[in-house]
Amino acid sequence: MRLNNIGLVTLLLLGACRTAYKSLQPATGDAACIQQFAPHFTNNLYSTQVNVLSHHLSGLLFCKQMPDSSVRMVFANEMGFKFFDFEYTAQGTFIKHYLFHKMDKPAVVKTLQQDFELVLLRPDLRQAQVLTDGKYQYVAIPSEKGRRYFITDKDCRQLVRIEKSSARKAVVIVKMWHYQNGTPDSISIHHTQFKFNIALQKTQQATD
């Protein structure tokens, strides 16, 4: 009986260690095809809901492409109180212009930076690998502690989701739906290991 229990525990541990991406196989395809799904922000407003642990923030996220092709993102509530002001340059540099002091912690900055980098969909494709699970195409790119997967249908005509993974499973899942004039109508960012979710719904084209 004791040996049987040990065997059962061993099987459970092996199952827990099994990667969610073990079925992926190398495939032919053009990794650069995912660039068509990068949002072409001009000056767009999104109604935004942020849930972090027990805290809830709501307001408007203003996304504007600047003349130098950098993207500026400013999140403020309906009264004009600013939560953050970020910039992503065309060269891939992140600039924190402002972050509300109660949120201004290295872990929060890094999390928000990396989350919106996934949304902007500007990956370095030099180490990209094209994979498939038989149903979807995965463009896999190494990241600091795992990989980023840009998942499309087999013909790379529709973006299914983006996953930032650890060695075994997705830790961040990004979805973008209903593209109009190059920008998604809806965006969701979901963290799987703790409560940190962002939901964006386009409201209108902002004016300069």
Side-chain angles (χ1 to χ4, degrees), residues 61 73-75 82-86 98-99 103 112 116:
L61 181 69
M73 293 185 169
V74 179
F75 178 38
K82 187 162 60 176
F83 297 115
F84 64 70
D85 180 351
F86 296 156
Y98 174 81
L99 183 60
M103 301 170 63
L112 289 170
F116 286 109

Side-chain angles (χ1 to χ4, degrees), residues 87-184:
E87 180 178 353
Y88 294 85
T89 71
Q91 295 74 34
T93 303
F94 170 76
I95 301 171
K96 181 190 73 175
H97 290 286
Y98 174 81
L99 183 60
F100 178 46
H101 68 91
K102 290 187 177 180
M103 301 170 63
D104 199 355
K105 297 176 175 57
V108 174
V109 174
K110 186 174 182 180
T111 297
L112 289 170
Q113 173 190 346
Q114 294 180 347
D115 284 355
F116 286 109
E117 282 175 347
L118 293 174
V119 169
L120 289 174
L121 220 151
R122 294 178 172 179
D124 183 345
L125 295 173
R126 287 175 295 181
Q127 299 184 63
Q129 183 181 12
V130 179
L131 306 168
T132 185
D133 63 0
K135 183 178 181 181
Y136 299 118
Q137 175 175 287
Y138 290 65
V139 174
I141 300 172
S143 62
E144 184 180 354
K145 295 182 179 180
R147 284 183 169 186
R148 286 167 291 161
Y149 292 95
F150 299 86
I151 305 168
T152 69
D153 61 357
K154 287 193 291 186
D155 297 322
C156 199
R157 294 180 180 177
Q158 181 178 358
L159 180 66
V160 177
R161 64 186 179 276
I162 302 168
E163 295 182 359
K164 178 184 174 184
S165 76
S166 65
R168 296 190 298 107
K169 61 183 179 180
V171 295
V172 182
I173 299 172
V174 174
K175 294 183 179 181
M176 298 191 282
W177 304 276
H178 308 307
Y179 279 72
Q180 295 180 0
N181 299 320
T183 57

Side-chain angles (χ1 to χ4, degrees), residues 33-52:
C33 75
I34 62 172
Q35 293 175 328
Q36 67 183 300
F37 304 114
H40 299 297
F41 294 121
T42 50
N43 47 342
N44 304 97
L45 275 176
Y46 284 85
S47 177
T48 303
Q49 307 290 324
V50 180
N51 290 292
V52 183

Side-chain angles (χ1 to χ4, degrees), residues 18-33:
R18 192 171 296 162
T19 174
Y21 306 102
K22 68 167 188 168
S23 64
L24 297 182
Q25 300 294 324
T28 58
D30 181 12
C33 75

